[in-house]
């Protein structure tokens, strides 16, 4: 294979659907994919924030309300997005998530089920919704946003941890099942990233995490978004079923 010096992330002509895109890492991913030429379908259950963010981004960016735990809403969203964008999404970023810490001894069924419904069943529903269009297009890249909670164990977040370990497993099964259709499925494993979600932790907890990192600082949404764009693009054409850790080296220790 001859190296092409012009090789760059180029998502022009692609339609990318991103969940949980109203803020944080999802919003950064929408921005970077727009910059790399994609038509971007931002989705979120926070409609007001999502609509405003999409409007600010402007060109080739649309917003659709979507609660990822709602199977019917997925069908409606993908159908509408396909009509609006002119072709079906061939990039899906399963980014939406919740993080509600609680010690195991006082964990409730409601909190456990909410993590599974949103962080794990949501991505499965998303994959099911986009695979027919990707199959017809003979190409697709699905990126699931897990967490370093799925690399080891963190106390007081058992439900979150279980959902994110599950998402890694879902990624690997999907990669095996869908590869022959030209669909790649990969998992990003962020560490501590500066978003609304990470403010759920106390400052002391976050400082202790940073102290474990060789890079010695919290990560930024754009740093995750850049890797997501790489996995969405043809530059990662031989990568599927992978876990890509973006954590400043925290899980090395
Ligand atoms: N911030 C971190 O430190 C960190 C670390 C590891 C992994 N992650 C993961 O990264 C992803 C993005 O998180 P973030 O840090 O940007 O958080 P965030 O809280 O800033 O954004 C999450 C977004 O998901 C949306 N959302 C929540 N439930 C939803 C649902 N049922 N349907 C649709 N949208 C829903 C929210 O409205 C919000 O816009 C999540 O999956 C999270 O678990 C975050």
């Amino acid at each position: 294979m001859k190296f092409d010096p012009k090789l760059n992330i180029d998502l022009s002509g692609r339609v990318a659907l991103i969940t949980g895109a109203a803020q944080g890492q999802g919003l950064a991913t929408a921005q970077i994919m727009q910059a790399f030429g994609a038509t971007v379908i931002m989705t979120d259950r926070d409609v007001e924030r999502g609509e405003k963010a999409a409007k600010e981004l402007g060109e080739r960016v649309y917003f659709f309300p979507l609660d990822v735990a709602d199977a019917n809403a997925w069908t409606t969203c993908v159908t509408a997005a396909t009509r609006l964008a002119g072709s079906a999404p061939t990039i899906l970023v399963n980014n939406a998530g919740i993080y509600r810490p609680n010690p195991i001894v006082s964990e409730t069924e409601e909190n456990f089920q909410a993590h599974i419904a949103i962080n794990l069943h949501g991505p499965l529903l998303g994959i099911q919704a986009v695979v027919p269009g990707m199959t017809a297009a003979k190409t697709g890249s699905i990126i699931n946003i897990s967490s370093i909670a799925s690399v080891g164990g963190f106390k007081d977040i058992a439900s979150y941890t279980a959902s994110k370990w599950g998402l890694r497993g879902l990624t690997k099964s999907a990669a095996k099942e869908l590869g022959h259709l030209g669909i790649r499925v990969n998992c990003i494993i962020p560490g501590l990233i500066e978003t609304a979600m990470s403010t759920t932790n106390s400052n002391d907890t976050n400082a202790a995490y940073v102290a474990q990192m060789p890079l010695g600082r919290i990560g930024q949404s754009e740093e995750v978004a850049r890797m997501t764009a790489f996995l969405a693009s043809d530059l990662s054409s031989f990568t599927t079923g992978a876990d890509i850790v973006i954590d400043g080296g925290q899980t090395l220790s």
Side-chain angles (χ1 to χ4, degrees), residues 9-183:
I9 295 180
D10 178 9
L11 302 178
S12 52
R14 311 275 177 94
V15 179
L17 194 156
I18 305 165
T19 69
Q23 61 180 33
Q25 296 174 61
L27 175 57
T29 303
Q31 286 173 314
I32 205 157
M33 289 201 178
Q34 177 197 35
F36 285 130
T39 295
V40 179
I41 311 295
M42 294 174 67
T43 70
D44 206 290
R45 69 177 174 184
D46 185 339
V47 179
E48 198 182 330
R49 194 187 293 268
E51 277 178 344
K52 186 167 175 285
K55 207 169 164 195
E56 279 169 15
L57 287 186
E59 199 190 9
R60 283 179 284 102
V61 178
Y62 306 94
F63 176 80
F64 282 100
L66 174 68
D67 181 335
V68 295
D70 181 342
N72 292 330
W74 266 109
T75 311
T76 309
C77 175
V78 171
T79 304
T82 302
R83 199 175 306 128
L84 192 63
S87 57
T90 54
I91 298 167
L92 169 66
V93 185
N94 278 316
N95 164 80
I98 58 165
Y99 174 79
R100 296 179 189 158
N102 205 20
I104 284 181
V105 288
S106 60
E107 185 56 307
T108 63
E109 184 176 354
E110 188 277 330
N111 198 43
F112 180 78
Q113 297 292 4
H115 281 88
I116 299 301
I118 295 168
N119 296 359
L120 181 54
H121 192 212
L124 172 67
L125 292 172
I127 293 170
Q128 290 173 324
V130 299
V131 160
M134 291 182 177
T135 303
K138 296 190 173 63
T139 185
S141 177
I142 297 169
I143 300 111
N144 295 326
I145 309 298
S146 181
S147 158
I148 56 166
S150 76
V151 174
F154 288 81
K155 71 184 183 64
D156 298 340
I157 54 168
S159 297
Y160 181 79
T161 301
S163 70
K164 293 297 191 179
W165 272 91
L167 187 54
R168 277 181 71 196
L170 175 65
T171 303
K172 292 185 190 302
S173 284
K176 281 219 168 185
E177 279 186 44
L178 303 174
H180 72 105
L181 299 168
I183 301 170

